[in-house]
Amino acid sequence: MKLAKYIDHTILNADATEAEVDKVIAEAIKYDFASVCINPYWVKHTAAGLKNTDVNTCTVIGFPLGATSTESKVFEAQQAIKDGADELDMVINVGELKANHNDAVLADIKALADAVHAEHKLLKVIIETALLTHDEKVRACQLAEKAGADFVKTSTGFSTAGAKVEDIKLMHETVGDRLGIKASGGIHSKAEAEAMIDAGATRIGASASVKIVTED
């Protein structure tokens, strides 16, 4: 698979304007990225811009903290799908994971998985690796798999650190090839992207996507 098809071309900054979103959409079509990943407000606009292409519309749910109610996350996901989202990247309730409230974390993810799969869309689960211990990362991946998610994802890109190769390796050891693995946050070069893929990533989240695919 060509490198571009691994990449979710991302613009999630709070001050993103329509013109900037349109630039990302145009770049995604030109380079044939896997998706454009935007905040929920921009889903309808982005889906319209990507119509009749094979580039998906991806959005984020409960972003970036994950500490909204499950009901809010489900509503947000359902609305995003109505607006045209193909893929939804939800943030887990990190505090509940750290408190060992596994049932709450599982129920949160499962509610999203059920809602998203009812519409035949993809769910990625952001575990925010920078805030977790080794064992918490493993447990987060196990809960995501048990809940029926399609992918586990490292980071929002808004926390203390982004994707690390060792985290991708650990996530791959935990979920194998049963789930996709998305490396996101701080990936700025072709070499970094390829290192993540070599470690087991099946998707890359990046805003430096054009630089990544045009580097020699």
Side-chain angles (χ1 to χ4, degrees):
M1 188 163 73
K2 67 178 186 176
L3 183 57
K5 271 300 178 205
Y6 280 91
I7 297 176
D8 292 342
H9 191 27
T10 302
I11 180 165
L12 292 170
N13 47 302
D15 58 350
T17 63
E18 184 176 323
E20 289 168 332
V21 172
D22 284 340
K23 179 172 181 280
V24 167
I25 292 168
E27 289 168 347
I29 294 168
K30 178 179 178 180
Y31 294 101
D32 196 27
F33 293 126
S35 81
V36 170
C37 188
I38 67 289
N39 279 302
Y41 178 83
W42 295 109
V43 168
K44 195 177 285 189
H45 181 81
T46 300
L50 293 172
K51 197 175 177 184
N52 301 322
T53 75
D54 71 343
V55 181
N56 280 348
T57 300
C58 173
T59 194
V60 289
I61 303 297
F63 193 87
L65 303 177
T68 44
S69 70
T70 299
E71 293 80 5
S72 296
K73 289 178 182 176
V74 169
F75 179 84
E76 191 175 24
Q78 290 170 333
Q79 184 62 51
I81 291 168
K82 283 179 192 166
D83 288 344
D86 304 297
E87 306 182 9
L88 299 98
D89 294 16
M90 72 165 287
V91 187
I92 65 163
N93 191 315
V94 181
E96 288 289 65
L97 182 86
K98 296 189 79 69
N100 288 302
H101 295 164
N102 295 335
D103 289 348
V105 177
L106 180 68
D108 190 52
I109 302 170
K110 188 177 186 306
L112 268 289
D114 290 349
V116 169
H117 293 155
E119 301 296 333
H120 311 290
K121 307 301 182 185
L122 273 179
L123 179 68
K124 307 191 201 94
V125 174
I126 306 170
I127 65 173
E128 202 67 283
T129 47
L131 303 180
L132 306 181
T133 65
H134 175 282
D135 290 351
E136 287 166 349
K137 291 168 195 173
V138 171
R139 186 155 42 88
C141 288
Q142 289 170 336
L143 290 167
E145 181 174 9
K146 187 176 179 184
D150 301 294
F151 277 75
V152 283
K153 174 178 168 182
T154 58
S155 322
T156 60
F158 284 74
S159 189
T160 54
K164 291 186 166 67
V165 166
E166 56 265 32
D167 288 334
I168 296 298
K169 286 179 178 173
L170 178 62
M171 292 161 78
H172 188 253
E173 284 166 14
T174 306
V175 302
D177 297 324
R178 298 181 300 279
L179 271 65
I181 299 170
K182 180 172 172 179
S184 186
I187 301 167
H188 300 120
S189 70
K190 184 178 180 181
E192 288 170 348
E194 288 176 340
M196 296 296 175
I197 293 166
D198 289 344
T202 56
R203 196 72 71 88
I204 302 290
S207 53
S209 319
V210 173
K211 177 178 179 284
I212 289 168
V213 297
T214 56
E215 276 181 1
D216 292 331

